[in-house]
Each structure stands twice: as C-alpha cells, then as structure tokens.
Amino acid sequence: MTDNQSNAIEKQPKNNPSQNTQVPNKDVAVQKSTQSGASTSSTSSQANGKAAEPQIKKVDIAIAGVTYPIFCPVHEQEELLSAVSYINNYALDLKRDAPSLSQESILVLCCLNLYEKIHANQRSDEDRLQKDKQSQALLNKIMKDAHSIL
C-alpha cells in the first residue's frame, strides 16, 4: 500500500475518544500500485457509458495504541487488516521491550524489519532459482550421458 497523497495521516490516540473528530482533508486514501504503476483507486469500467467508481471504505486502524483513519478499496480491506495485525503485533513487542521509544521510532523499526524480511525473501528466491538452474543442468548432463551409453 502506498501513499501517493501529499496529505498527512491524522493521528488519534486510541485512549482518548473525545479526539475522534475527523478532518476530511487530513485523511489519506490508500492506493495500491499495480506492477505497471497504475493506481487501483483510479480504475474505471464502462457500464452503460458511465465510468464506475471504485468502492472505497474508511477503515480506522490502530498500531501500537494510535488510531489512523485510512481509506481503502473495499476489496483490499481484508489484506489491509492482515497487514495491520502483523505490524501492530510487532510494534507492541517493540513497545514492550523498549517502552521509551516514540511512536515514530517504533514505526521506523517496523519498516526496517519489513525491509529486512522482504530482502531476505528476494535473496532466497534468487538462491532457489540458481539451484533450480544447476539441478536442471545436472539432470540434462545425466540424461545426455545415459543416452550415450545406451
């Protein structure tokens, strides 16, 4: 999920319900980019000559006790909530281990951890592809040797 907006996310402490006043121009629309770089929130389909607008839903998410209002396409809400659960659990573990960390520091550490995991997965995928190529080359050599013997 990327934030292509210049607006800031409005932070609301979870413990203070009196601060639930929403400022519409402070909310951020979460947009997912496809591999081609096109935004899913600007996708339109033609039905009777009218462009269908994507269904966007406001979802209040909480990470380490701070609530963030996020606008999310309805079909991506489940994925968003799954991501929030993962990040929130990690953030709460950090907060428990280092209670003096600011919310910003906790989120920075979460981002660094996620990058590390993504990078490790990419390296693992590259290693797997290399091993597959080596296995295929070895199999081809064995097959060639077997055919030359027969």
Side-chain angles (χ1 to χ4, degrees), residues 74-89:
V74 173
H75 67 279
E76 295 177 7
Q77 184 176 352
E78 188 174 322
E79 185 178 348
L80 171 65
L81 294 176
S82 176
V84 168
S85 175
Y86 179 86
I87 293 167
N88 186 51
N89 289 336

Side-chain angles (χ1 to χ4, degrees), residues 62-65 84-103 105-107 109-110 113 117:
I63 298 176
V84 168
S85 175
Y86 179 86
I87 293 167
N88 186 51
N89 289 336
Y90 185 76
L92 290 175
D93 288 344
L94 284 173
K95 198 171 194 176
R96 185 191 64 235
D97 294 342
S100 62
L101 285 178
S102 69
Q103 181 76 1
S105 295
I106 289 171
L107 294 178
L109 289 173
C110 284
N113 178 59
K117 287 180 183 241

